[in-house]
Amino acid sequence: MDKSPEEIPFHNRDQQNVLVMLEEAQYEAGCVSEARIAEVAESLDVSQSEVYGVATFYSFLSVKPLGRNVIRVCKSLPCYLKNSRMIIESIAAELGIKPGETTPDMKFSFELTNCIGGCDKAPAMLINSDVHGDLTPEKIAQILKSYD
Amino acid sequence: MPERRVILKNCGVIDPRRMETFLNNDGFKALTKALNEMTPDSVIETIKASGLRGRGGAGFPCGLKWELARKAPGDEKFVICNADEGEVGTFKDRYILENDPFSLIEGIAIAAYALGARQAYIYLRAEYHYLLELLTKAIAQTKEGGFLEHVDIQIREGAGAYVCGEESALMDSIEGKRGEVRYRPPFPPTQGLWEKPTVINNVETMMNIPQIVLNGADWFNQIGTDRSKGTKVFSVAGDVDRPGVYELEMGSQLKELVVDLAQAKKVKMLQIGGATGKIIPHTMMDTPLSFETILGAGAITVLDESRNIVDAVYHTMEFLAEESCGKCAPCREGTEALFGIMEKFNRGEGTERDIRHLEDLANAMMPSSLCGLGQAAPIPVVDSLQHFRSEYEDRIKQKQGGAAK
Amino acid sequence: MSKVKLTINGTQVSGREGMTILEVAQENGIDIPTLCYSPDLRPIGACRICVVEVEGSRLLVGSCHTPIAPEMVIQTHSPRVLEARKVILELLFGSHCGSCMLCNKANVCNLRSIAADLEVGLPRFQLRKRFHPIEDVSPYVQRDLTKCVLCWRCIRACQEIAKQSVYATGYRGFDSKVIVDCDVPLDKEVCRDCGICITYCPTGALTRPTKLGKEKPGKSLVITK
C-alpha cells in the first residue's frame, strides 16, 4: 500500500473556503441549508459528508432554519453566578419559547451558549453579533423590542 | 504591587479607529526598528533573551518557538495569532482587540519578519464577530501606511467551538475543516498549517513583541520573576465588585489582584485559568501569580461564601462535555461520564462510589487524552475533591439522611 | 536508514528511523492493543488504547503515531498504562449497546477481544447509549451505528483505500457520528463491489446485508461523486 503524500492529495487548499462559505451562508440566510451544502461541496471539490460534518461541528452554524434574530444567552459559570437563569426565564416568558426554539413568526431564535467573553458585564448575551451586558429581567423586553 | 500597564499602555489612550493616534504613541517604532536595524535572527535572539513565554496558558518559550519555525526547512511559513479566546471567564484579549488593534498587528508583523512568513492569520472567535470591522479597518490602515509590505494579514473567523483555541484544532479550522485536534509530534513550528512551519501565538503574547523589540530584552528581563518575565493581563469576574481587565507584574500575589483591585469580599474559592483551570480555596490567596505557581491564561473567576462548589464544578463539566471535539475516546466519553456523575451529585444522588469513579476517570483521562482539553478536563473535579471534599460528602449524607435533614 | 536503539519493557531493541513505537514493539513480539490503528491507514491517534509510558514524559503517548527516538525507555504494560486502557475500554462499553450475544461479529470483534485481554467486565461508568436505527437501505453495506465505537477507520479506509469519500465525521463531542451526506442512511452506488469499510470495522457496526436467498436488486451503475 503506497501511502506517500504525493499519492494522496492531502491538501486541497480550496477546502479552507468550506468554513468561510458556510459562515457567509449562516450570516446571510440564518442557516446552512442542504442545497447550500451541496453547492459548497461541488464548488470546492469536497464531499457533501465532509461539508455537513463541518456545518454540524460549529455551534454558530445551524443546519436548521433559525429566526431572523438569534439570541444567545451565556450560560457559563461567571454569568451563571450573576443569575443568568433569571435572564433565560424572562426571555422565555417574553417570547413564549424555550431555549433551542424559534418563535412561530421566525423573528427570534433563542439559544444558550458557552462563554462569550462578556464576563465583566455578566450576565451577558449576544443578539446576532451585538453584545448586551449587565442584564436584568427588567431590561429584556426593551432590548428585544429594539430588534423589531 | 500596583497595576503596571506595559502592554495595555495604549488601551484607553489611543483611538483604535485612527492609526495616527497610535503613531503618536510610539506606534510602529518597534516594527520599523526591526525591519531597518535588525536581522530576523537578531529579532529572534532578542525575544529569546527576553525570556518571554506564551500567554495562552502553556507558557512555552516564545523565542524558541520562533527559532524552531525559522530553522524548519521550507519556503512557505505562517504566523497565526490566536484570538479564539474561549476560556470561561476570560475577556482580556477582547479588551486588547477593542482598544489597541494596532499593537497586535505590529507584533504579528514583527513575527512574520523574524520567521520569513509572507502570510499571517488572525483567528477570531465567532463570539467576537462585532470586532471584525474594527480589526479589518486597522489592518487596512496599517497597510496603507506602508507597514505591511512584507506580509499579508488575513482574519479568519471561528464559528463557535472552544476547542479551536487549541493550536492544532485552530489550524484545522483555518484549513476549513472541523476543529479537531491532531496528535503531536509533529509540532506546528515544523509542520503546522498545511503541514508548513507555523508559529501560533496568543493575542497577549503578540502584544509583548513590540515592547520587547523597542525597549530591549534587558528591560523586559527586569520585570517579573525568575522564570516568568514581564507582566500578565488578567480577566477577573464572578463575585467581585470591580470585574475587569488588570495588568500586573508576574509574581504579584493573587490577593492583590482579586481583593485589592477587583474588590472581592468573603472569597470562598477561585477558579484560575477557566474551565480547565485550577480551583483553589481562599486560604491560598497569597500565592504569587507566575508560571512557576499558578497562572493559566489569566482568567480568574471568584466565588464567595454563598456559593456551592459542587454546583460550580457541575457547570464547568457541562461546558467541557459540550466542547469536547469528539475525536479521541477518553475525552469524548470521559467528559460525558464526568458530567453525568456531577449531575448525579447536583441532583443529590451521588454516592461514595461516584467519588471513586470521578477519581478513576481523572487518573486515566489526564495522561491519555489527545489534547489539553481532555488532559485538563478532570482538573476542576480533582481540585475540588482535594480542597472541598466535604461538600461532596455533605451531599451524600443529605441523601442518606433523607428529607429530615 | 539509520538504526535507533531503545528499551522496551527492560529489553534493548532497535528499530529504523521513522518507525513508530508500535511498529518496533510489534517487530519484537510485544503486543500492544489497538483499536483505531491499522497498518494500511494513516494513524490518527484517536482511541488512545495503544498508549504507552515513555520515561521523561508526563503524559502517556500514543504508540501508533509517536516516532521512536534514540535511548527512549518505554513501558507498554505498566500499571498506569493498563489502568488507562481499562478505563477507556470501560467508557467505550459504557456507551456501547452491549448486545454481544446477538451480534454476528461477536467472535471476531476487536473491542471484545481487547476487553478480554485486559480483563474488562462490566463497565464502571454509566453513560448514555448511542441509539441509532439500523441502516439497511444499501444492498452493499448495512450500518448499525449503535455498535460503532467511533474509531474512524471506515472513513479513512473509504478515503485512502477505496479512494472515495462516502463517510465523514459529523456533529461534535459525545454526539459525534459517522455520517453520509447530510446525515442520511447510506445508499451509494459507489459501494457496489467494494465493502472495504466493512473489512476495517472493528465491531459489528458495518456488515454485509444478510438477506439470504433474495438479494436486494442493485441499481444500474451510475458514476457519482
Side-chain angles (χ1 to χ4, degrees):
Chain A
M1 194 85 20
D2 192 355
K3 290 188 291 168
S4 69
E6 298 79 44
E7 190 73 11
I8 302 159
F10 211 48
H11 297 303
N12 164 10
R13 284 209 189 173
D14 287 347
Q15 195 176 344
Q16 65 180 297
N17 292 316
V18 170
L19 185 54
V20 176
M21 287 169 79
L22 292 180
E23 283 166 355
E24 274 170 16
Q26 184 68 47
Y27 283 119
E28 273 168 31
C31 88
V32 184
S33 65
E34 292 193 5
R36 199 64 180 257
I37 285 170
E39 261 173 52
V40 172
E42 173 78 14
S43 68
L44 300 174
D45 197 19
V46 177
S47 76
Q48 263 194 51
S49 315
E50 191 120 347
V51 178
Y52 192 81
V54 175
T56 52
F57 182 85
Y58 296 95
S59 62
F60 276 42
L61 301 178
S62 172
V63 292
K64 295 196 189 86
L66 294 181
R68 291 188 295 283
N69 301 293
V70 183
I71 305 169
R72 292 188 171 92
V73 181
C74 177
K75 65 179 163 77
S76 293
L77 189 59
C79 281
Y80 170 76
L81 296 174
K82 298 284 174 190
N83 272 329
S84 57
R85 270 187 309 188
M86 282 172 66
I87 305 304
I88 293 164
E89 279 164 25
S90 58
I91 294 176
E94 190 70 29
L95 297 177
I97 54 170
K98 290 199 287 286
E101 295 179 346
T102 299
T103 53
D105 61 0
M106 295 301 282
K107 200 160 126 192
F108 287 106
S109 285
F110 178 21
E111 300 194 339
L112 303 183
T113 194
N114 283 325
C115 189
I116 57 171
C119 331
D120 50 345
K121 29 187 187 250
M125 66 175 173
L126 285 170
I127 299 186
N128 307 327
S129 298
D130 313 328
V131 193
H132 298 273
D134 296 315
L135 297 172
T136 58
E138 296 75 43
K139 287 184 188 170
I140 295 299
Q142 192 65 35
I143 293 172
L144 293 185
K145 213 172 261 173
S146 66
Y147 287 87
D148 267 342
Chain B
M1 273 175 271
E3 259 210 285
R4 174 161 181 182
R5 293 206 153 202
V6 173
I7 71 163
L8 299 182
K9 72 179 183 63
N10 287 337
C11 296
V13 176
I14 66 159
D15 178 350
R17 299 196 165 269
R18 290 170 52 227
M19 189 174 73
E20 58 273 23
T21 61
F22 176 65
L23 290 173
N24 292 338
N25 285 277
D26 294 341
F28 296 123
K29 266 195 185 156
L31 177 61
T32 314
K33 178 179 171 187
L35 293 176
N36 299 330
E37 297 166 34
M38 298 168 84
T39 63
D41 286 326
S42 67
V43 173
I44 291 176
E45 276 314 310
T46 306
I47 302 301
K48 271 177 81 179
S50 74
L52 175 67
R53 295 169 68 175
R55 302 302 199 226
F60 192 82
C62 181
L64 183 61
K65 198 190 256 189
W66 288 20
E67 190 178 42
L68 287 168
R70 171 147 183 92
K71 286 188 174 158
D75 284 341
E76 192 178 29
K77 294 178 184 180
F78 297 105
V79 171
I80 299 173
C81 174
N82 183 348
D84 190 62
E85 176 178 59
E87 199 51 82
V88 174
T90 174
F91 43 93
K92 62 174 177 76
D93 292 347
R94 182 205 82 209
Y95 178 83
I96 292 169
L97 295 167
E98 277 173 338
N99 287 290
D100 188 12
F102 295 107
S103 287
L104 179 70
I105 295 167
E106 185 173 16
I108 296 170
I110 294 171
Y113 170 70
L115 252 68
R118 285 179 298 277
Q119 183 66 58
Y121 294 99
I122 298 174
Y123 187 85
L124 184 70
R125 68 191 302 229
E127 289 82 349
Y128 293 170
H129 182 67
Y130 57 92
L131 295 174
L132 180 67
E133 192 207 339
L134 179 76
L135 262 178
T136 310
K137 285 189 174 155
I139 294 172
Q141 287 181 53
T142 310
K143 212 170 168 177
E144 265 171 47
F147 296 106
L148 291 179
E149 270 157 23
H150 64 296
V151 60
D152 177 48
I153 302 179
Q154 282 184 25
I155 301 170
R156 280 299 148 83
E157 282 193 282
Y162 164 76
V163 73
C164 287
E166 198 279 340
E167 58 182 13
S168 68
L170 188 155
M171 293 187 299
D172 267 25
S173 186
I174 292 183
E175 290 178 11
K177 302 173 191 161
R178 297 161 58 80
E180 288 179 353
V181 296
R182 308 175 183 174
Y183 59 77
R184 275 147 291 185
F187 292 93
T190 47
Q191 283 180 46
L193 191 62
W194 293 298
E195 291 182 18
K196 303 291 180 192
T198 303
V199 155
I200 305 184
N201 281 135
N202 169 264
V203 168
E204 188 187 340
T205 314
M206 286 293 190
M207 293 292 290
N208 279 282
I209 304 299
Q211 299 308 317
I212 295 169
V213 168
L214 200 59
N215 301 308
D218 289 341
W219 163 82
F220 191 78
N221 236 303
Q222 282 160 14
I223 313 171
T225 71
D226 243 15
R227 285 169 54 216
S228 308
K229 299 298 180 193
T231 60
K232 180 80 191 81
V233 183
F234 296 94
S235 322
V236 189
D239 295 320
V240 294
D241 287 348
R242 293 185 56 217
V245 173
Y246 300 95
E247 182 175 3
L248 288 168
E249 245 183 75
M250 287 276 194
S252 301
Q253 279 184 2
L254 187 51
K255 65 169 177 254
E256 294 175 273
L257 173 64
V258 170
V259 178
D260 301 349
L261 291 169
Q263 309 255 307
K265 293 182 186 82
K266 296 187 176 166
V267 177
K268 180 178 185 179
M269 73 153 242
L270 305 106
Q271 190 174 42
I272 300 187
T276 53
K278 302 283 290 174
I279 284 179
I280 63 167
H282 69 98
T283 47
M284 289 167 69
M285 281 213 292
D286 48 5
T287 308
L289 292 155
S290 67
F291 288 111
E292 299 94 301
T293 48
I294 189 166
L295 197 64
I300 294 176
T301 305
V302 181
L303 275 73
D304 70 19
E305 288 168 357
S306 70
R307 305 297 181 180
N308 185 289
I309 306 297
V310 172
D311 195 28
V313 176
Y314 161 77
H315 270 86
T316 303
M317 289 321 303
E318 180 189 30
F319 171 87
L320 293 167
E322 283 178 8
E323 296 294 345
S324 166
C325 83
K327 183 174 184 177
C328 85
C331 177
R332 178 185 68 233
E333 315 284 322
T335 50
E336 182 74 18
L338 287 173
F339 174 52
I341 298 174
M342 290 311 300
E343 205 174 17
K344 264 178 91 178
F345 272 101
N346 218 27
R347 282 200 310 266
E349 292 168 13
T351 61
E352 280 290 345
R353 231 173 77 179
D354 286 322
I355 294 188
R356 277 205 306 280
H357 287 171
L358 287 173
E359 288 167 338
D360 291 350
L361 281 166
N363 288 336
M365 286 171 70
M366 289 165 87
S368 71
S369 294
L370 186 54
C371 85
L373 199 163
Q375 289 157 14
I379 289 177
V381 170
V382 173
D383 283 0
S384 59
L385 278 172
Q386 186 189 339
H387 300 297
F388 299 98
R389 197 179 189 97
S390 62
E391 298 215 5
Y392 285 82
E393 288 164 351
D394 285 350
R395 293 234 172 173
I396 297 170
K397 277 186 210 137
Q398 268 168 22
K399 180 197 162 202
Q400 287 164 345
K405 241 189 153 180
Chain C
M1 258 183 221
S2 56
K3 277 203 162 183
V4 178
K5 282 197 173 141
L6 61 157
T7 309
I8 304 184
N9 301 345
T11 310
Q12 272 261 326
V13 297
S14 67
R16 292 170 303 281
E17 202 187 308
M19 285 175 86
T20 61
I21 296 172
L22 179 68
E23 286 165 342
V24 176
Q26 284 175 341
E27 245 185 34
N28 288 277
I30 299 161
D31 189 28
I32 299 175
T34 63
L35 194 59
C36 71
Y37 168 82
S38 158
D40 309 332
L41 304 172
R42 285 169 182 274
I44 59 168
C47 74
R48 315 307 292 163
I49 294 286
C50 74
V51 289
V52 296
E53 201 157 355
V54 175
E55 218 176 80
S57 166
R58 185 174 54 90
L59 302 167
L60 301 176
V61 305
S63 61
C64 72
H65 58 78
T66 305
I68 51 169
E71 309 304 321
M72 251 185 183
V73 179
I74 297 160
Q75 291 290 336
T76 63
H77 287 74
S78 66
R80 189 162 166 240
V81 167
L82 291 177
E83 177 58 16
R85 283 183 196 153
K86 273 188 188 176
V87 167
I88 296 167
L89 263 186
E90 287 182 59
L91 283 168
L92 289 173
F93 271 111
S95 57
H96 194 69
C97 66
S99 52
C100 300
M101 295 289 276
L102 307 169
C103 182
N104 284 337
K105 197 81 175 259
N107 291 324
V108 285
C109 173
N110 286 20
L111 190 67
R112 265 189 65 168
S113 78
I114 300 168
D117 284 349
L118 284 166
E119 295 174 350
V120 168
L122 274 180
R124 268 168 279 184
F125 317 109
Q126 301 285 314
L127 281 161
R128 277 192 281 150
K129 303 283 180 194
R130 294 188 183 87
F131 283 119
H132 300 286
I134 292 175
E135 296 177 11
D136 58 356
V137 196
S138 164
Y140 316 116
V141 184
Q142 179 171 313
R143 299 208 307 162
D144 180 358
L145 295 183
T146 302
K147 295 175 182 168
C148 172
V149 289
L150 302 167
C151 71
W152 322 116
R153 265 163 50 161
C154 54
I155 301 178
R156 288 173 291 151
C158 184
Q159 269 174 10
E160 296 170 28
I161 301 173
K163 308 286 180 199
Q164 299 294 334
S165 23
V166 170
Y167 301 121
T169 314
Y171 309 97
R172 185 167 84 191
F174 190 79
D175 298 325
S176 298
K177 179 187 174 189
V178 178
I179 55 160
V180 176
D181 289 348
C182 294
D183 196 8
V184 294
L186 172 65
D187 186 17
K188 294 259 183 193
E189 206 44 39
V190 289
C191 302
R192 184 180 189 145
D193 300 330
C194 180
I196 284 171
C197 57
I198 301 172
T199 319
Y200 283 89
C201 181
T203 70
L206 299 182
T207 48
R208 282 184 201 288
T210 47
K211 301 265 160 118
L212 295 173
K214 48 168 189 173
E215 202 176 299
K216 282 191 183 175
K219 292 177 195 162
S220 56
L221 185 64
V222 183
I223 313 274
T224 51
K225 267 198 187 154

